[in-house]
Amino acid sequence: MADPTAVDRLRLADHVCWTFDDDDRCAAAVARYVGAGTRDGHRVIYSAPEVPRADVAARLIAHGVHVAALVATGQLQIVTVPDTYLTGGEFRPAAVLEGWNRRLDDARAAGYRGVRLVADRSWLAGSVAGAHRIAWYEARANRVFADGYAMGLCLYDRRLFGPSALRAISSAHPATYRADDGPWSPLLRMVRTAEPPGLRLAGELDLSNRRAVAALLNALFEEPAGEPLFVDLSGLSFADAPTATLFVRAARASPAGLVLWGCPAPLAQMIAMVPGHGAGDRLRVVPAG
């Protein structure tokens, strides 16, 4: 059974595919997430399908959120899908990501300590041009969250999406919540680092989130860099064999090379077994310890 308190384990930089099949428990989790964000000094942006904002507000109010006061100050923004995800009735992922970056910049300028996004994805179950690109969008959206200023709760109703679609979508997120998971915390966390420039991964990396990691690495490679990208793996507790191939391929695609810092011994051994693992001296593996 879904546990609304699981949202308490989220923090800035998390990007979660929150799957559910119980509307009341989902509403309780969202209200808890919104309430915690307002107490933490975050701006909360709730993107809902094209329904009256009063309906969204009523669900939050029913769970103790002081909607009117928060909306009046601008700390809570309830926006609709046409405002955020659709341009002329079409889903254009690149334009959507630019829009979220602008909203984050606005929140920074307003002095908020962070941003919490809530995105109800039920609109994707209808006939929307470009909806087939949602998994690509979710994967690229990790770049928005990895800076550590925002967190995202993406709501996917399992009654509206088939298993194969949900697998593709969930793999674009570093973490997925399922109501039958029992005690839960995000499987993987991804946060950018400044010194050295790179990325820190903590948790478990496998088929369920590999697409999210690959997309974030590719996004970071697009940025100007004169030195190798450091990936801190010292907090990684598990990585499967295909993860080794992922890093070898990433090193080949990187402009200045890739350094895997604090690489767990099992992963280092698997990398050594990948054909061409040296990636032309573009991959450096620094073992843990």
Side-chain angles (χ1 to χ4, degrees):
M1 185 174 289
D3 176 14
T5 67
V7 294
D8 297 346
R9 302 178 184 94
L10 301 181
R11 59 191 189 215
L12 294 174
D14 285 339
H15 178 209
V16 177
C17 178
W18 188 275
T19 69
F20 68 97
D21 57 12
D22 185 313
D23 294 333
D24 290 339
R25 284 187 170 268
C26 182
V30 170
R32 193 177 183 96
Y33 174 85
V34 171
T38 58
R39 290 190 297 273
D40 289 346
H42 299 164
R43 169 170 280 173
V44 181
I45 305 174
Y46 192 141
S47 175
E50 199 168 0
V51 298
R53 286 177 171 82
D55 292 354
V56 176
R59 290 196 291 270
L60 295 174
I61 291 169
H63 290 280
V65 178
H66 301 293
V67 171
L70 294 170
V71 169
T73 63
Q75 189 172 11
L76 172 62
Q77 298 180 346
I78 301 175
V79 297
T80 63
V81 168
D83 296 329
T84 49
Y85 288 97
L86 303 181
T87 302
E90 182 178 353
F91 176 51
R92 298 175 180 172
V96 174
L97 292 171
E98 290 176 6
W100 285 125
N101 282 323
R102 288 194 297 270
R103 289 178 184 272
L104 266 57
D105 289 342
D106 289 345
R108 286 189 180 95
Y112 289 100
R113 296 172 59 190
V115 173
R116 293 189 180 215
L117 305 179
V118 183
D120 184 331
R121 297 286 191 240
S122 58
W123 57 276
L124 287 163
S127 179
V128 176
H132 65 284
R133 302 190 68 194
I134 186 62
W136 183 93
Y137 164 81
E138 295 284 23
R140 292 289 293 191
N142 289 298
R143 177 63 186 82
V144 174
F145 300 105
D147 282 343
Y149 183 69
M151 66 174 81
L153 193 67
C154 303
L155 308 179
Y156 284 91
D157 188 336
R158 290 198 299 273
R159 296 163 295 188
L160 301 178
F161 299 90
S164 60
L166 276 180
R167 279 195 296 272
I169 291 166
S170 64
S171 70
H173 295 75
T176 296
Y177 174 84
R178 300 176 182 83
D180 55 357
D181 276 350
W184 179 89
S185 61
L187 188 65
L188 181 70
R189 286 191 157 107
M190 310 191 298
V191 183
R192 288 199 66 178
T193 57
E195 293 294 337
L199 178 67
R200 182 171 63 251
L201 301 178
E204 301 182 23
L205 203 171
D206 59 19
L207 179 63
S208 71
N209 51 28
R210 191 175 301 118
R211 183 173 185 173
V213 176
L216 182 53
L217 287 172
N218 287 335
L220 297 181
F221 292 157
E222 293 172 1
E223 300 178 1
E227 55 187 301
L229 184 75
F230 272 67
V231 181
D232 183 348
L233 302 179
S234 59
L236 202 65
S237 57
F238 174 81
D240 60 6
T243 296
T245 302
L246 181 155
F247 284 128
V248 171
R249 290 177 176 172
R252 291 173 181 155
S254 64
L258 192 66
V259 176
L260 302 182
W261 185 266
C263 185
L267 179 57
Q269 292 167 3
M270 289 186 287
I271 289 173
M273 297 173 65
V274 177
H277 67 273
D281 296 326
R282 298 179 72 82
L283 177 62
R284 179 185 171 203
V285 179
V286 181

